Amino acid sequence: MTRYTATALAHPNIAFIKYWGNRDAALRLPVNGSISMNLEGLFTRTTVSFQPSLAFDELVINGREVTGPGLERVSGILEVVRQAAGIPFRAEVLSETNFPTGAGIASSASAFAALALAAVKAAGLSWSESAISRLARRGSGSACRSIPGGFVEWQMGAGDDDSFAVSIAPPSHWDLADCVAVVSSGHKATGSTEGHALAPTSPLQSARVADAPRRLEICRRAILERDFGSLSAIIELDSDMMHAVMMTGQPALFYWKPATLAVMEAVRAWRRDGLQAAYTVDAGPNVHVICPQSEMDAVTTLLREIPGVTQVLRATVGGPARLF
Ligand code: DP6
């Protein structure tokens, strides 16, 4: 008998070149390509079971039942899979995440990547990595980058068919780390989905998007050549450009706290003193400090000395989403 159940594990990722703004919000087709690194040690593990006895889809995250918009977003992904596989059954989705939400690492990327892979396998479909990446993208854009392993590029594509992520280098290619300086664990005021919709209201967004191919090329090359100097410059520029867009939209979004800026300034100063470290900030106040794994302990010690930094989370380079 077919069991219609599967469990998958996926890592979150940190974007080096950011996704900010959609040309199709429903399909999550972005206005620019993006590049990220998967985060080893942090993960979401999700089991999907399609069951004839269920009247509705059910979602349990870290032991708590979720209903409303969260469940609807998950059902949207399950529906695509049901249609493709010709399965009429509703599903039970059980999900566990091993890192604190609100700690500056988006759980939607690992969550929708694990969901997409588990749902496809539970339905008995043999989809390619790119097809699963496209499905994950529809749940959360950045989730498409958590399907392939290591250093990953999401090619914006011309439409749904060719907007997916591919690995540009495996985890073993470059021993980098992400030390996340948590400066606030409160829930952010404006989530990414709402933020993407505001991006076109900034007069700076068109310049950011027009320049994206150049930044992507520099970032891709820096990764392939393991050129930390060039990587530092481009990821800080890209993060600053995204925040400039956020700050100049209507309404304006200011994600930074005073301690965010303190960490950014400290990282620049450490680099002038010869430490290899670079910052990047997502849609929240916490600062991701990217460094070689050999500098991880030094960076962590320095970050803990900065007033306002409450916690430092650490991750190395993660592999692809996989069945568990
Ligand atoms: C700033 O993928 O979280 O982290 O598709 O609405 O779920 P949704 O948005 P999401 O946006 C990520 C924004 C970002 C940059 C990035 O990860 O590329």
Side-chain angles (χ1 to χ4, degrees):
M1 185 190 122
T2 319
R3 282 191 60 243
Y4 294 124
T5 183
T7 300
L9 179 151
H11 302 291
N13 64 72
I14 177 64
F16 289 169
I17 301 295
K18 312 287 189 189
Y19 152 51
W20 199 245
N22 286 308
R23 45 188 216 287
D24 181 324
L27 285 173
R28 289 185 156 83
L29 296 176
V31 289
N32 62 273
S34 52
I35 291 179
S36 59
M37 176 177 100
N38 282 354
L39 301 177
E40 179 66 40
L42 309 175
F43 62 82
T44 298
R45 186 173 47 221
T46 298
T47 301
V48 174
S49 320
F50 291 102
Q51 298 172 13
S53 58
L54 292 173
F56 304 99
D57 291 324
E58 287 176 11
L59 173 63
V60 178
I61 301 178
N62 291 337
R64 285 167 177 250
E65 177 146 16
V66 175
T67 55
L71 174 62
E72 280 164 32
R73 205 163 155 183
V74 165
S75 283
I77 297 301
L78 296 171
E79 201 47 46
V80 176
V81 172
R82 275 192 282 262
Q83 300 241 334
I87 292 176
F89 313 136
R90 304 296 110 180
E92 179 188 65
V93 177
L94 301 175
S95 189
E96 302 277 344
T97 290
N98 82 336
F99 53 96
T101 53
I105 299 174
S107 55
S108 66
S110 52
F112 280 98
L115 174 73
L117 179 58
V120 163
K121 293 297 171 182
L125 296 167
S126 1
W127 281 10
S128 62
E129 181 186 87
S130 52
I132 300 169
S133 174
R134 284 170 49 212
L135 176 64
R137 187 201 78 225
R138 292 172 67 153
S140 176
S142 55
C144 76
R145 299 190 309 241
S146 284
I147 296 293
F151 300 87
V152 173
E153 179 164 3
W154 174 7
Q155 302 165 338
M156 63 183 275
D160 175 40
D161 289 353
D162 58 353
S163 188
F164 55 82
V166 294
S167 179
I168 51 180
S172 59
H173 171 73
W174 197 1
D175 290 342
L176 289 186
D178 180 6
C179 300
V180 190
V182 178
V183 304
S184 161
S185 58
H187 271 283
K188 56 190 179 196
T190 309
S192 299
T193 304
E194 220 180 310
H196 288 295
L198 295 176
T201 66
S202 165
L204 304 186
Q205 171 73 341
S206 54
R208 191 193 73 87
V209 171
D211 183 59
R214 185 188 70 89
R215 296 193 307 282
L216 286 161
E217 169 63 23
I218 292 171
C219 184
R220 204 182 295 124
R221 188 182 295 255
I223 290 170
L224 292 176
E225 295 175 358
R226 300 187 196 88
D227 177 350
F228 195 85
S230 162
L231 185 78
S232 314
I234 204 66
I235 72 176
E236 291 189 355
L237 173 69
D238 189 83
S239 174
D240 293 347
M241 284 175 85
M242 179 181 73
H243 284 272
V245 166
M246 292 162 159
M247 290 172 189
T248 51
Q250 282 189 330
L253 301 176
F254 279 75
Y255 286 107
W256 296 352
K257 303 267 186 227
T260 310
L261 204 54
V263 174
M264 291 160 65
E265 284 183 334
V267 169
R268 285 181 189 273
W270 301 338
R271 206 166 51 242
R272 281 194 296 273
D273 291 344
L275 186 74
Q276 291 194 308
Y279 67 76
T280 182
V281 183
D282 276 346
N286 303 315
V287 186
H288 293 252
V289 181
I290 308 302
C291 64
Q293 284 170 26
S294 54
E295 310 270 36
M296 238 174 144
D297 287 342
V299 166
T300 305
T301 305
L302 286 166
L303 284 174
R304 287 197 178 123
E305 285 166 6
I306 299 174
V309 173
T310 56
Q311 200 195 142
V312 180
L313 291 175
R314 291 143 48 108
T316 53
V317 192
R322 58 183 166 89
L323 292 172
F324 196 78

